[in-house]
Amino acid sequence: LIIYKMAEQENDVLNMDEGPIPEEEMDMSEALQEVLKKALINDGLARGLREAAKALDSKQAHFAVLASDIDQKNYEKLIKGLCAQHNIPLISNPTRMELGEWAGLRKIDKEGKARKVVGCSCVVVTEYGEES
């Protein structure tokens, strides 16, 4: 890796070939958590059926996340149908409680632990906040 340093002389070059830069590896759920957190901070999340359906129907969504343990099949058909109709990517991985916690539907106690987590079946990201 070569980093060019702006200096008074034109030939100032820092060569950093001592070793690779350590990168932190993330799995799918950690990356999804990070994106949802940034979107929540920038008011870019639509949580629940009504908000998600509005965002998907108006084509404002970047992608949708559907919980894997939905108890109502009509709910699942609606979200999948809207995503397919408007060519919006759909991720179906976490449970309702995990998705609710990641979407900010919880209280945090003094120790920093999540308490009173509310389950959420669908979250739609309408604004990333920043590219990650």
Side-chain angles (χ1 to χ4, degrees):
L1 176 68
I2 297 176
I3 298 175
Y4 292 96
K5 180 180 172 186
M6 298 298 287
E8 296 167 359
Q9 299 177 4
E10 293 180 9
N11 296 332
D12 284 350
V13 175
L14 298 174
N15 193 355
M16 301 187 67
D17 287 332
E18 289 90 33
I21 297 174
E23 287 190 16
E24 188 176 317
E25 300 246 349
M26 290 184 162
D27 64 341
M28 172 85 168
S29 65
E30 289 175 349
L32 184 60
Q33 267 184 290
E34 193 68 28
V35 170
L36 291 178
K37 180 180 169 184
K38 289 179 182 178
L40 178 65
I41 291 170
N42 292 296
D43 198 30
L45 280 185
R47 301 172 286 194
L49 179 63
R50 182 181 171 93
E51 290 181 22
K54 280 178 152 180
L56 291 170
D57 204 26
S58 64
K59 299 178 187 177
Q60 294 176 348
H62 294 290
F63 68 91
V65 183
L66 192 63
S68 59
D69 58 349
I70 295 177
D71 52 353
Q72 296 180 359
K73 295 301 174 189
N74 290 338
Y75 188 107
E76 186 176 2
K77 285 181 185 178
L78 175 66
I79 299 299
K80 286 183 176 181
L82 286 171
C83 286
Q85 181 181 5
H86 299 298
N87 295 324
I88 297 170
L90 177 67
I91 300 170
S92 179
N93 191 18
T95 63
R96 291 178 62 239
M97 297 308 274
E98 285 177 340
L99 191 57
E101 184 178 347
W102 298 349
L105 299 173
R106 76 222 185 288
K107 297 284 184 185
I108 299 177
D109 64 3
K110 293 177 185 176
E111 291 86 33
K113 303 281 185 188
R115 302 281 182 217
K116 296 185 180 179
V117 178
V118 177
C120 182
S121 296
C122 183
V123 173
V124 175
V125 175
T126 57
E127 184 179 329
Y128 289 118
E130 67 179 46
E131 295 295 322
S132 55

Short mmCIF file of all heavy atoms in Angstrom, two decimals, residues 2-15:
data_model
loop_
_atom_site.label_atom_id
_atom_site.label_comp_id
_atom_site.label_asym_id
_atom_site.label_seq_id
_atom_site.Cartn_x
_atom_site.Cartn_y
_atom_site.Cartn_z
N ILE A 2 0.64 2.12 -0.88
CA ILE A 2 1.41 3.35 -0.96
C ILE A 2 0.48 4.52 -0.69
O ILE A 2 -0.58 4.63 -1.33
CB ILE A 2 2.08 3.51 -2.34
CG1 ILE A 2 3.07 2.35 -2.56
CG2 ILE A 2 2.77 4.85 -2.45
CD1 ILE A 2 3.69 2.36 -3.93
N ILE A 3 0.86 5.37 0.23
CA ILE A 3 0.08 6.54 0.56
C ILE A 3 0.87 7.76 0.14
O ILE A 3 2.03 7.91 0.52
CB ILE A 3 -0.24 6.61 2.07
CG1 ILE A 3 -1.07 5.39 2.47
CG2 ILE A 3 -0.96 7.90 2.41
CD1 ILE A 3 -1.32 5.30 3.94
N TYR A 4 0.26 8.61 -0.64
CA TYR A 4 0.90 9.83 -1.06
C TYR A 4 0.58 10.92 -0.06
O TYR A 4 -0.57 11.14 0.29
CB TYR A 4 0.44 10.23 -2.46
CG TYR A 4 0.92 9.28 -3.52
CD1 TYR A 4 0.12 8.25 -3.97
CD2 TYR A 4 2.20 9.38 -4.03
CE1 TYR A 4 0.56 7.36 -4.92
CE2 TYR A 4 2.66 8.50 -4.97
CZ TYR A 4 1.84 7.49 -5.42
OH TYR A 4 2.29 6.61 -6.36
N LYS A 5 1.62 11.61 0.37
CA LYS A 5 1.47 12.63 1.39
C LYS A 5 1.61 14.00 0.74
O LYS A 5 2.58 14.26 0.02
CB LYS A 5 2.54 12.43 2.46
CG LYS A 5 2.53 13.42 3.57
CD LYS A 5 3.64 13.09 4.55
CE LYS A 5 3.77 14.17 5.59
NZ LYS A 5 4.93 13.92 6.45
N MET A 6 0.64 14.87 0.99
CA MET A 6 0.72 16.23 0.48
C MET A 6 1.72 16.99 1.34
O MET A 6 1.56 17.11 2.54
CB MET A 6 -0.64 16.91 0.53
CG MET A 6 -1.69 16.23 -0.32
SD MET A 6 -1.31 16.20 -2.06
CE MET A 6 -1.57 17.88 -2.48
N ALA A 7 2.77 17.50 0.70
CA ALA A 7 3.80 18.21 1.45
C ALA A 7 4.39 19.29 0.56
O ALA A 7 3.95 19.50 -0.57
CB ALA A 7 4.87 17.24 1.91
N GLU A 8 5.37 19.93 1.12
CA GLU A 8 6.00 21.00 0.37
C GLU A 8 6.80 20.45 -0.81
O GLU A 8 6.91 21.07 -1.85
CB GLU A 8 6.92 21.80 1.30
CG GLU A 8 6.14 22.50 2.39
CD GLU A 8 7.05 23.01 3.49
OE1 GLU A 8 8.27 22.80 3.44
OE2 GLU A 8 6.51 23.62 4.43
N GLN A 9 7.33 19.26 -0.65
CA GLN A 9 8.09 18.65 -1.73
C GLN A 9 7.19 17.68 -2.47
O GLN A 9 6.33 17.03 -1.90
CB GLN A 9 9.30 17.89 -1.17
CG GLN A 9 10.26 18.80 -0.44
CD GLN A 9 11.40 18.00 0.17
OE1 GLN A 9 11.48 16.80 -0.04
NE2 GLN A 9 12.27 18.67 0.89
N GLU A 10 7.39 17.55 -3.75
CA GLU A 10 6.53 16.71 -4.57
C GLU A 10 6.84 15.22 -4.42
O GLU A 10 6.01 14.39 -4.72
CB GLU A 10 6.67 17.10 -6.04
CG GLU A 10 6.12 18.47 -6.33
CD GLU A 10 6.28 18.83 -7.81
OE1 GLU A 10 6.66 17.96 -8.60
OE2 GLU A 10 6.02 19.98 -8.13
N ASN A 11 7.99 14.86 -3.95
CA ASN A 11 8.42 13.47 -3.93
C ASN A 11 8.22 12.79 -2.57
O ASN A 11 8.82 11.76 -2.31
CB ASN A 11 9.88 13.35 -4.35
CG ASN A 11 10.08 13.78 -5.78
OD1 ASN A 11 9.16 13.67 -6.59
ND2 ASN A 11 11.25 14.29 -6.10
N ASP A 12 7.43 13.35 -1.67
CA ASP A 12 7.19 12.71 -0.38
C ASP A 12 6.19 11.58 -0.56
O ASP A 12 5.03 11.80 -0.85
CB ASP A 12 6.63 13.72 0.63
CG ASP A 12 7.70 14.64 1.17
OD1 ASP A 12 8.89 14.36 0.92
OD2 ASP A 12 7.35 15.63 1.83
N VAL A 13 6.66 10.34 -0.37
CA VAL A 13 5.82 9.16 -0.51
C VAL A 13 6.05 8.28 0.71
O VAL A 13 7.19 8.03 1.10
CB VAL A 13 6.17 8.38 -1.80
CG1 VAL A 13 5.38 7.08 -1.87
CG2 VAL A 13 5.92 9.23 -3.01
N LEU A 14 4.97 7.84 1.33
CA LEU A 14 5.07 6.90 2.43
C LEU A 14 4.76 5.51 1.91
O LEU A 14 3.72 5.28 1.32
CB LEU A 14 4.07 7.26 3.54
CG LEU A 14 4.23 8.62 4.20
CD1 LEU A 14 3.08 8.86 5.14
CD2 LEU A 14 5.55 8.70 4.93
N ASN A 15 5.66 4.57 2.10
CA ASN A 15 5.46 3.20 1.67
C ASN A 15 5.12 2.36 2.88
O ASN A 15 5.90 2.25 3.81
CB ASN A 15 6.73 2.68 0.98
CG ASN A 15 6.47 1.39 0.25
OD1 ASN A 15 5.37 0.84 0.32
ND2 ASN A 15 7.48 0.92 -0.47
#
